[in-house]
């Protein structure tokens, strides 16, 4: 079985433990997450009945002082804004597997 190659307009690479904590915390607020990427930034937003979380991540892969788990790599195609929504229950399935890998990669394409 082979997974076909896909060209992504945006790719976010962050530590698996950090991704797991992010999804776990956001799932407490609502069932849906909105992910936006542009230039070397990504916005994770959850807006629920009991509160809002807007978390902006910036590309910091080149930060020598940061631990490998704290580094974030964000690459986007030029002049492309990606704005998508996902069910947090679906992303939580991947977050639960954080002990199997050091990093989590999210590949996004515009709809």
């Amino acid at each position: 079985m082979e997974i076909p190659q896909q060209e992504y307009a945006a790719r976010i690479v962050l530590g698996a433990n950090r991704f797991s904590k992010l999804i776990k915390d956001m799932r407490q607020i609502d069932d849906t997450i909105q992910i936006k990427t542009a230039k070397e930034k990504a916005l994770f937003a959850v807006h629920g009945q009991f509160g809002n979380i807007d978390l902006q991540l910036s590309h910091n892969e080149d930060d020598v002082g940061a631990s490998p788990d704290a580094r974030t790599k964000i690459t986007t195609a030029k002049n492309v804004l990606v704005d998508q929504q996902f069910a947090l229950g679906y992303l939580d399935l991947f977050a639960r597997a954080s002990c199997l890998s050091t990093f989590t990669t999210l590949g996004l394409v515009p709809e």
Side-chain angles (χ1 to χ4, degrees), residues 12 19 23 33-37 42-45 82-86 91 106 108:
I12 305 167
F19 176 74
I23 296 302
I33 186 171
Q34 180 178 20
I35 302 175
K36 293 182 185 181
T37 60
L43 176 70
F44 292 78
V82 179
D83 184 359
Q84 293 191 348
Q85 292 187 352
F86 297 94
L91 291 179
L106 300 173
L108 305 171

Coordinates of all heavy atoms in Angstrom, one line a residue, residues 12 19 23 33-37 42-45 82-86 91 106 108:
I12 N 3.0 22.6 8.8 CA 3.4 23.0 10.1 C 4.0 21.8 10.8 O 3.4 20.7 10.8 CB 2.1 23.4 10.9 CG1 1.4 24.5 10.2 CG2 2.5 23.8 12.3 CD1 0.0 24.8 10.7
F19 N 1.9 19.4 20.4 CA 0.7 19.3 19.6 C -0.4 18.6 20.4 O -1.5 19.0 20.4 CB 1.0 18.5 18.3 CG -0.2 18.2 17.5 CD1 -0.9 19.1 16.8 CD2 -0.8 16.9 17.5 CE1 -2.0 18.9 16.0 CE2 -1.9 16.6 16.7 CZ -2.5 17.6 16.0
I23 N -4.0 20.3 21.4 CA -5.3 19.7 21.0 C -6.1 19.4 22.3 O -7.3 19.7 22.4 CB -5.1 18.5 20.2 CG1 -4.4 18.8 18.9 CG2 -6.4 17.7 20.0 CD1 -5.2 19.8 18.0
I33 N -11.8 23.2 15.5 CA -10.6 24.1 15.5 C -10.5 24.7 14.1 O -10.7 24.1 13.1 CB -9.3 23.4 15.9 CG1 -8.2 24.4 16.1 CG2 -9.0 22.3 15.0 CD1 -7.0 23.8 16.7
Q34 N -10.1 26.0 14.1 CA -9.8 26.7 12.8 C -8.3 26.9 12.8 O -7.7 27.4 13.7 CB -10.6 28.0 12.8 CG -10.3 28.8 11.5 CD -11.1 30.1 11.5 OE1 -11.6 30.6 12.5 NE2 -11.3 30.6 10.3
I35 N -7.7 26.5 11.7 CA -6.3 26.7 11.5 C -6.1 27.6 10.3 O -6.6 27.2 9.2 CB -5.6 25.3 11.3 CG1 -5.8 24.4 12.5 CG2 -4.1 25.6 11.1 CD1 -5.2 23.0 12.4
K36 N -5.4 28.7 10.5 CA -5.0 29.6 9.4 C -3.5 29.7 9.3 O -2.8 29.8 10.3 CB -5.6 31.0 9.7 CG -7.1 31.2 9.7 CD -7.4 32.6 9.9 CE -8.9 32.8 10.1 NZ -9.3 34.2 10.3
T37 N -3.0 29.7 8.1 CA -1.6 29.9 7.9 C -1.3 31.0 6.8 O -2.1 31.1 5.8 CB -0.9 28.6 7.5 OG1 -1.4 28.2 6.2 CG2 -1.0 27.6 8.5
A42 N 1.1 30.6 12.0 CA -0.1 29.8 12.0 C -0.9 30.2 13.2 O -0.4 30.5 14.2 CB 0.3 28.3 12.1
L43 N -2.3 30.3 12.9 CA -3.2 30.7 14.0 C -4.1 29.5 14.2 O -4.8 29.0 13.3 CB -4.0 31.9 13.6 CG -5.1 32.3 14.6 CD1 -4.5 32.9 15.9 CD2 -6.0 33.3 14.0
F44 N -4.1 29.0 15.5 CA -5.1 28.0 15.9 C -6.1 28.6 16.8 O -5.8 29.3 17.8 CB -4.3 26.9 16.8 CG -3.3 26.1 16.0 CD1 -2.1 26.6 15.7 CD2 -3.6 24.8 15.6 CE1 -1.2 25.9 15.0 CE2 -2.7 24.1 14.9 CZ -1.5 24.6 14.6
A45 N -7.4 28.5 16.3 CA -8.5 29.3 17.0 C -9.6 28.3 17.4 O -10.0 27.5 16.5 CB -9.0 30.4 16.2
V82 N -4.2 29.8 3.9 CA -4.9 28.6 4.1 C -5.8 28.8 5.3 O -5.3 29.2 6.4 CB -4.0 27.4 4.2 CG1 -4.8 26.1 4.5 CG2 -3.1 27.2 3.0
D83 N -7.1 28.5 5.2 CA -8.0 28.7 6.3 C -8.9 27.5 6.3 O -9.8 27.3 5.4 CB -8.8 30.0 6.1 CG -9.7 30.3 7.3 OD1 -9.8 29.5 8.2 OD2 -10.4 31.3 7.2
Q84 N -8.7 26.6 7.3 CA -9.5 25.4 7.3 C -10.0 25.1 8.8 O -9.4 25.5 9.7 CB -8.7 24.2 6.8 CG -8.4 24.2 5.4 CD -7.8 22.9 4.9 OE1 -7.5 22.1 5.6 NE2 -7.7 22.8 3.6
Q85 N -11.1 24.3 8.8 CA -11.6 23.9 10.1 C -11.6 22.3 10.2 O -11.8 21.7 9.2 CB -13.1 24.3 10.3 CG -13.2 25.8 10.5 CD -14.6 26.2 10.8 OE1 -15.5 25.4 10.8 NE2 -14.7 27.5 11.1
F86 N -11.3 21.9 11.4 CA -11.2 20.4 11.7 C -11.9 20.1 12.9 O -12.0 20.9 13.9 CB -9.7 20.0 11.8 CG -8.9 20.2 10.6 CD1 -8.2 21.4 10.5 CD2 -8.8 19.3 9.6 CE1 -7.4 21.6 9.4 CE2 -8.1 19.5 8.5 CZ -7.3 20.7 8.4
L91 N -8.5 15.2 15.3 CA -7.1 15.5 15.6 C -6.6 14.9 16.9 O -5.4 14.6 17.0 CB -6.9 17.0 15.6 CG -7.0 17.8 14.3 CD1 -6.9 19.3 14.5 CD2 -6.1 17.2 13.2
L106 N 1.5 18.8 10.1 CA 0.2 19.1 9.5 C 0.4 19.6 8.1 O 1.1 20.6 8.0 CB -0.6 20.1 10.4 CG -0.8 19.7 11.8 CD1 -1.4 20.9 12.6 CD2 -1.8 18.5 11.9
L108 N -1.5 21.3 4.9 CA -2.8 21.9 4.6 C -2.8 22.3 3.2 O -1.9 22.8 2.6 CB -3.0 23.1 5.5 CG -2.9 22.9 7.0 CD1 -2.9 24.2 7.8 CD2 -4.1 22.0 7.5

